[in-house]
Amino acid sequence: MLKLLGDRPLGERDYYAVTHALAQDPVASCMVAARVEDHGIHPRSLGGELWSNDQPMSSLCFSGANLVPLFGTQDDVRIFAERAVRNPRACSSIVGPSELVMPLWEYTSEHWGPAREIRCSQPLLAMAAEPVIAGDPQVRRVRLDEIDAYLPAAVEMFIGEVGVDPCAGDGGRSYRRRIAGLINAGRAYARFENGEVVFKAEIGALSRSVGQIQGVWVSPDKRGLGLGASGTATVVEAIVAGGRTASLYVNSFNIAAREAYRRVGMHEVGTFATVLVD
């Protein structure tokens, strides 16, 4: 029987079991670990549920806006899928280690398919040392009073990466709040030229040990000039200076981005997959 962590009053024993499990692979677990560190493991504060079919060290899945399988056997994945399809779908994607995401999608696709897009091979990259190339001195943290200049680049990046307009539905109010939160936290970086963003990136998830970079974007008219590599190096420098490992995952078909990250010095530590289901 599937045990839902948080289906009963949570004790310290649950929290430490989960955090110990997440520490097994801090790079792959960064997205979930950051939430647990900030909010604990109660579903109401966490913004989702943590599931385990046995013990978190061997079987763990996060179910929220994203469905994130972290550890488990094929039997565990099947049981996670059964739990996921039992109620109306809450997630917009399944993301995590490819060897768990793809079978999880196979089990859930009958109920949730067809997928809008399947990215079955996304190299997971990391580095804990200084970049091997110089960072861009003009890349810096974005100020909140620059949000109106920053947002168009963020929206363009989101549409290009996810395939949907983040401003649809509520006119962009939710997405603006999300970006403002990253800016206020000092986790949005950009290079501005003549008041316009020509490079941007964010630290989307920040755990105690890992900073996961997201949303790397270069203005189309500035591509091929090395801004992606040097800008990313600046963000990596900031993460490493804080005593953390810098990480990101990239689509295997994005050869230009993969080459830029190779130049920075990032190396592959795993393979993620993403299934976009909304």
Side-chain angles (χ1 to χ4, degrees):
M1 177 179 291
L2 185 71
K3 175 185 175 186
L4 172 61
L5 299 180
D7 200 33
R8 56 181 172 73
L10 296 176
E12 287 298 309
R13 183 177 181 181
D14 295 313
Y15 177 81
Y16 287 114
V18 168
T19 55
H20 189 48
L22 295 173
Q24 292 181 101
D25 191 343
V27 173
S29 301
C30 177
M31 288 183 288
V32 177
R35 297 190 66 86
V36 169
E37 289 168 8
D38 287 344
H39 305 292
I41 62 174
H42 192 282
R44 186 175 300 172
S45 55
L46 183 62
E49 298 174 337
L50 284 166
W51 301 339
S52 179
N53 187 41
D54 182 18
Q55 296 295 325
M57 287 288 291
S58 60
S59 168
L60 189 64
C61 182
F62 172 76
S63 175
N66 301 307
L67 186 62
V68 186
L70 293 164
F71 309 109
T73 65
Q74 293 301 301
D75 284 343
D76 293 323
V77 170
R78 177 182 51 79
I79 293 173
F80 291 154
E82 291 172 355
R83 172 81 196 192
V85 302
R86 195 175 303 163
N87 297 304
R89 177 170 57 83
C91 67
S92 60
S93 69
I94 307 173
V95 59
S98 180
E99 67 273 16
L100 299 177
V101 167
M102 298 313 297
L104 183 55
W105 171 243
E106 182 179 351
Y107 289 128
T108 57
S109 59
E110 180 181 346
H111 300 268
W112 292 352
R116 181 158 52 81
E117 188 172 353
I118 299 175
R119 300 171 183 174
C120 58
S121 179
Q122 297 175 300
L124 178 65
L125 311 178
M127 64 183 303
E130 291 291 325
V132 298
I133 63 171
D136 184 343
Q138 295 189 55
V139 171
R140 57 171 176 79
R141 287 186 172 92
V142 180
R143 302 189 305 268
L144 189 57
D145 62 4
E146 296 171 316
I147 190 171
D148 289 329
Y150 187 81
L151 266 174
V155 169
E156 184 173 333
M157 178 282 305
F158 193 97
I159 292 173
E161 179 66 19
V162 182
V164 297
D165 185 349
C167 297
D170 66 355
R173 290 187 295 275
S174 297
Y175 189 64
R176 185 185 180 93
R177 284 196 299 271
R178 177 181 171 187
I179 294 299
L182 290 170
I183 293 174
N184 274 328
R187 288 162 47 185
Y189 291 78
R191 172 174 172 152
F192 291 87
E193 292 183 3
N194 300 317
E196 295 185 351
V197 173
V198 297
F199 167 86
K200 66 161 286 293
E202 296 123 18
I203 304 172
L206 190 68
S207 72
R208 294 189 184 103
S209 58
V210 178
Q212 186 177 88
I213 301 169
Q214 68 175 27
V216 179
W217 178 90
V218 177
S219 178
D221 63 335
K222 297 291 185 179
R223 291 173 186 172
L225 302 177
L227 294 182
S230 61
T232 301
T234 298
V235 183
V236 168
E237 286 175 352
I239 294 170
V240 172
R244 296 178 172 89
T245 296
S247 176
L248 57 79
Y249 57 99
V250 58
N251 292 318
S252 59
F253 56 78
N254 193 338
I255 303 303
R258 293 181 67 180
E259 173 60 19
Y261 303 142
R262 184 198 65 78
R263 289 180 56 207
V264 173
M266 305 190 83
H267 60 280
E268 190 168 341
V269 297
T271 304
F272 264 25
T274 301
V275 179
L276 301 174
V277 291
D278 187 17

